[in-house]
């Protein structure tokens, strides 16, 4: 994905990624699904508030470029007047969800009083990627359930055998 040069290109990039189609982003260990307001890693799935996802999607679309405070404020809170502390809270909550709370930050960086940017490259995934990941996850869960069920039967059989041996 080409990096946007100015605010107009950034807005076009955001518009292109917020179409009704199901888009996914890959950022480090995280799979970001804006349509579901969710992020997932190999060991957890988190639901984000819509405002968090809107801010996150804007940062993802910027592809490492700094997104100004004004852009974030006007996108996350359109037609509302909010203080900068609201923006700081959204970024802090986003960092917490991404497990990026210790300085130096690994994912989201504050530009010198001018905005925020992602420190890692985000990759826009193909539309069918989400379905593939869901199918893989469903298969893994099914396999684990079957393995657990088999294990329970084995333990139950051993326990019954021991009970019968001691009863005799």
């Amino acid at each position: 994905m080409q990096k946007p040069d100015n605010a107009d290109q950034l807005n076009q990039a955001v518009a292109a990624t917020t179409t009704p189609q199901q888009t996914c982003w890959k950022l480090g260990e995280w799979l970001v699904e804006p349509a579901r307001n969710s992020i997932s890693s190999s060991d957890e799935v988190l639901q984000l508030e819509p405002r968090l996802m809107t801010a996150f999607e804007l940062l993802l679309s910027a592809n490492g470029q700094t997104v100004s405070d004004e852009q974030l404020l006007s996108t996350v809170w359109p037609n509302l007047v909010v203080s900068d502390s609201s923006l700081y809270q959204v970024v802090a909550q986003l960092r917490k969800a991404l497990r990026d709370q210790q300085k130096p930050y690994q994912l989201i960086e504050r530009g010198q009083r001018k905005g925020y940017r992602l420190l890692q490259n985000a990759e826009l995934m193909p539309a069918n990627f989400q379905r593939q990941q869901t199918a893989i996850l469903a298969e893994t869960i099914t396999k684990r359930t079957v393995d657990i069920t088999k294990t329970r039967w084995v333990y139950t059989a051993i326990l019954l055998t021991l009970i019968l041996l001691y009863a005799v």
Side-chain angles (χ1 to χ4, degrees):
M1 178 175 239
Q2 187 177 14
K3 292 187 178 184
D5 293 331
N6 59 37
D8 290 334
Q9 287 181 342
L10 177 59
N11 289 334
Q12 290 172 355
V14 171
T17 60
T18 55
T19 57
Q21 70 178 352
Q22 299 269 330
T23 58
C24 295
W25 294 88
K26 184 80 172 143
L27 178 69
E29 69 174 299
W30 296 99
L31 177 64
V32 182
E33 299 177 71
R36 295 181 180 199
N37 287 333
S38 72
I39 59 173
S40 55
S41 67
S42 60
D43 60 345
E44 68 181 315
V45 176
L46 299 173
Q47 288 297 125
L48 298 182
E49 295 175 22
R51 291 189 197 278
L52 292 176
M53 185 55 75
T54 301
F56 196 21
E57 195 169 10
L58 188 58
L59 292 169
L60 289 163
S61 299
N63 201 24
Q65 297 294 308
T66 299
V67 179
S68 72
D69 289 349
E70 293 78 25
Q71 281 181 293
L72 284 162
L73 289 168
S74 66
T75 303
V76 177
W77 293 276
N79 304 318
L80 291 175
V81 177
V82 294
S83 68
D84 288 343
S85 66
S86 298
L87 179 57
Y88 302 145
Q89 286 179 352
V90 163
V91 172
Q93 290 173 339
L94 197 49
R95 283 180 174 147
K96 182 177 181 180
L98 295 167
R99 297 181 282 204
D100 187 29
Q101 294 177 279
Q102 301 223 346
K103 291 183 180 181
Y105 298 118
Q106 302 299 308
L107 293 175
I108 302 173
E109 175 183 66
R110 172 84 175 142
Q112 298 174 1
R113 295 184 174 246
K114 61 180 180 176
Y116 293 90
R117 73 182 190 101
L118 292 179
L119 296 171
Q120 295 182 13
N121 288 331
E123 182 181 354
L124 185 59
M125 304 308 288
N128 65 349
F129 180 78
Q130 180 180 353
R131 283 177 288 201
Q132 292 170 353
Q133 290 300 104
T134 303
I136 290 169
L137 181 60
E139 183 179 320
T140 302
I141 290 170
T142 303
K143 184 177 179 180
R144 286 182 184 168
T145 304
V146 169
D147 289 345
I148 290 170
T149 304
K150 285 180 183 177
T151 303
R152 285 184 184 160
W153 279 109
V154 169
Y155 284 133
T156 303
I158 291 171
L159 182 62
L160 287 174
T161 304
L162 292 174
I163 290 171
L164 288 173
L165 286 175
Y166 284 114
V168 177

